[in-house]
């Protein structure tokens, strides 16, 4: 098998192996690593429909991570997708109304980030060994809520790693904040920052490119790496569940082999939906990819007009993990849209940084017809939660409700009845206040977390996950709140430099 290499979206001469791309996270030139060619797989659905999640993961990851041995991949897969998931299916697919919901929230932090962040530490430490890298890995992450905890849970007490997480103070749910500030592990550091997610993410990107910081860290035996969704070590594991979803629809008799399915993805940083697009290129019969946004609808405008304009009001919504104005992973699609032209991609991204916007020609955009974009307002999101519970007796979290609402709009507009998988990215237990207030007419702000969780239990009939009960009882270990300008110093502080 020929080796697959990765190049930076901003410099084609920046060419690395899969394990090096995982180690680096982001390229030195600020670009994102993309495979030089998309692997093609002959997917045998007769076989795949009977395989477990772990079995399906192997050929998919092998196609992307060609410099990992079979043994290394099996070790990573089986260390990640084990009993820390509370459903043996890992990503169960359930019929709800006229669509199929794929639940990606059965991992340790009850949100979809666990799908990739449970395997990333193993991919990363394996990649370090392969490259004779002797420095301790320092994971630096800005989070809009879910990544932070999922990364902390994945890396806590993993030897030769440290993890530093920045979250927007006041910009995440109470449960999300509690999950992070109670994180155990001597190698974990968590800071609230005074700013929104984009402010924090922009500063983290700057720190990665900060030559002085990197040099000082190297002298002290540390090497920065990213757990954000730009790392191919997160992107590739996410392709797996789209293959799994198709296999499940075949198994459940919803599809004949070869028939198309649609996917609806609640989108923020564009990682999850990009993985669906990669799955399509890999050979999964996916017809439409519905990109669902909340009121931060920068991607919806982009797909409708070709203009990406981050200069707009940042809305704090009931689906905070999608409150994003700069969707980093879109750069990989933009690179493809430019015909793999790194200079042009770099110019567009520079324009985004310097002018706040860029534009892709309509003709180019039109050749990406498989993308359909729709937004859901907060009110529509709440109504969706309520109506799906009433009609289908199934309780959606606000992110999944955004997707469900976008799908309803898609169906109304296109009358397309292709079997559709709605990607459920969080358990309703993660956002109890939004969920309960969507369903109850009364004011719920006086209810304690405990009471809200009890309400979610009553409404959904789903057992309270261990992830929730344990967090309510745990001790708070991380209390520091920083200005954005103090983030760099906090890295030194964390590492005792
Ligand atoms: C991160 C996240 C999203 C957005 O996913 P992207 O890959 O960033 O587009 C959606 N929902 C939840 C619950 C998330 O945690």
């Amino acid at each position: 098998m020929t080796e697959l290499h990765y190049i930076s979206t901003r410099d084609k001469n920046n060419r690395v192996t899969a394990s090096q791309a995982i180690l680096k996270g982001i390229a030195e030139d600020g670009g994102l690593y993309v495979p030089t060619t998309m692997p093609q797989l002959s997917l045998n659905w007769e076989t795949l429909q009977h395989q477990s999640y772990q079995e399906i993961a192997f050929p998919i990851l092998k196609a992307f991570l060609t410099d990992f041995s079979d043994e290394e991949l099996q070790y990573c897969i089986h260390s990640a997708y084990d009993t820390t998931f509370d459903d043996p299916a890992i990503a169960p697919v359930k019929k709800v109304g006229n669509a199929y919901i794929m639940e990606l929230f059965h991992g340790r932090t009850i949100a979809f980030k666990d799908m990739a962040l449970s395997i990333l530490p193993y991919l990363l430490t394996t990649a370090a060994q392969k490259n004779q890298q002797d420095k301790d890995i320092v994971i630096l992450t800005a989070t809009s809520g879910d990544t932070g905890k999922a990364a902390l849970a994945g890396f806590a007490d993993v030897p030769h790693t440290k993890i530093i997480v920045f979250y927007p103070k006041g910009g995440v749910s109470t449960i999300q904040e509690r999950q992070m500030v109670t994180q155990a592990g001597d190698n974990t550091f968590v800071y609230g920052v005074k700013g929104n997610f984009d402010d924090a993410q922009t500063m983290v990107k700057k720190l990665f490119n900060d030559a002085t910081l990197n040099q000082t860290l190297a002298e002290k035996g540390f090497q920065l790496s990213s757990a954000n969704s730009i790392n191919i070590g997160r992107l590739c594991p996410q392709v797996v569940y789209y293959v799994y979803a198709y296999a499940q629809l075949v198994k459940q008799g919803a599809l004949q082999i070869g028939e198309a399915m649609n996917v609806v993805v609640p989108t923020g940083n564009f990682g999850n939906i990009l993985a669906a697009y990669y799955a399509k290129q890999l050979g999964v019969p996916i017809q439409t990819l519905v990109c669902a946004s909340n009121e931060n609808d920068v991607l919806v405008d982009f797909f409708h007009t070709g203009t990406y304009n981050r200069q707009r009001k940042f809305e704090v919504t009931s689906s905070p993990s999608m409150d994003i104005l700069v969707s980093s992973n879109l750069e990989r699609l933009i690179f493809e849209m430019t015909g793999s032209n790194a200079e042009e991609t770099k110019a567009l991204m520079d324009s985004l940084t310097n002018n706040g916007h860029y534009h892709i020609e309509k003709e180019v955009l039109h050749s990406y017809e498989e993308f359909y974009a729709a937004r859901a307002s907060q009110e529509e999101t709440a109504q969706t939660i309520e109506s799906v519970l009433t009609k289908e007796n199934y309780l959606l979290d606000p992110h999944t409700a955004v997707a469900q609402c976008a799908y309803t709009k898609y169906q109304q507009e296109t009358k397309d009845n292709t079997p559709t998988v709605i990607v459920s990215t969080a358990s309703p237990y993660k956002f109890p206040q939004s969920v309960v207030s969507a369903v109850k007419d009364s004011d719920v702000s006086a209810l304690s977390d405990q009471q809200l969780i009890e309400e979610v239990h009553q409404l959904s009939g789903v057992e309270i996950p261990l992830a929730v009960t344990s967090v309510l009882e745990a001790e708070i270990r991380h209390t520091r709140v920083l200005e954005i300008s103090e983030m760099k110093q906090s890295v030194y502080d964390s590492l005792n430099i």
Side-chain angles (χ1 to χ4, degrees), residues 184-198:
D186 289 343
N187 63 339
T188 65
F189 305 89
V190 180
Y191 302 100
V193 295
K194 297 180 195 163
N196 63 36
F197 169 69
D198 284 318

Side-chain angles (χ1 to χ4, degrees), residues 235 238-239 241-242 270-280:
L235 195 55
Q238 294 181 171
V239 176
Y241 49 75
Y242 290 102
F270 208 74
N272 200 353
I273 193 167
L274 187 76
Y277 181 64
Y278 280 11
K280 178 181 167 125

Side-chain angles (χ1 to χ4, degrees), residues 111-113 144-147 176 229 234 238 265-273 321-322 324 329 397 399-400 425-426 431:
F112 104 96
K113 304 286 192 297
S144 57
D146 288 331
T147 305
Q176 286 179 316
S229 63
R234 279 191 54 190
Q238 294 181 171
V265 188
T267 298
N269 229 346
F270 208 74
N272 200 353
I273 193 167
S321 303
M322 298 157 70
I324 287 172
N329 270 298
D397 100 289
H399 302 77
T400 314
T425 50
F431 302 93

Side-chain angles (χ1 to χ4, degrees), residues 54-67:
Q54 295 84 342
E55 285 169 324
I56 288 181
F58 179 70
I60 307 304
L61 291 182
K62 190 175 162 65
F64 281 106
L65 311 177
T66 54
D67 68 330

